[in-house]
Amino acid sequence: CDMDWGAGAAVLPLALNRHLPEDVVVVSAQQVPLAFHPRHSASFRRYEYTIYNNRLRSPFYAKNAWYVPEPLDLEAMRQGAAVLVG
């Protein structure tokens, strides 16, 4: 959609982040051609997942990590992650 935003791309993330949930953050914004499609035209996407692997839970990771007290099978994780690369 074409958006008439007079304040510029530099302040758009600040405005958007005021209305987004705390686990979603807009880091930057830039003007693109009208033909740009967010799914098909993006040059890359970045996803980060955090696993807190310890026998005791941590209150510091409670909101931003998946707590797994059992030992992890790193080789199985590498094999599973390999199909996601691309």
Side-chain angles (χ1 to χ4, degrees):
C1 84
D2 188 13
M3 186 172 107
D4 185 22
W5 174 259
V11 295
L12 184 58
L14 300 172
L16 291 172
N17 287 331
R18 291 182 57 104
H19 301 283
L20 292 171
E22 67 180 35
D23 59 342
V24 176
V25 176
V26 176
V27 177
S28 65
Q30 65 185 44
Q31 190 169 356
V32 296
L34 285 176
F36 179 83
H37 187 283
R39 193 167 129 216
H40 303 295
S41 303
S43 57
F44 73 94
R45 292 172 187 82
R46 177 177 160 181
Y47 302 92
E48 285 186 29
Y49 301 93
T50 303
I51 300 172
Y52 180 70
N53 183 228
N54 197 308
R55 68 182 182 93
L56 297 175
R57 285 186 312 228
S58 168
F60 303 108
Y61 289 99
K63 285 189 168 186
N64 58 9
W66 179 33
Y67 170 60
V68 179
E70 298 85 15
L72 300 173
D73 184 342
L74 294 180
E75 185 53 36
M77 293 172 70
R78 286 186 185 102
Q79 289 177 9
V83 300
L84 301 175
V85 176

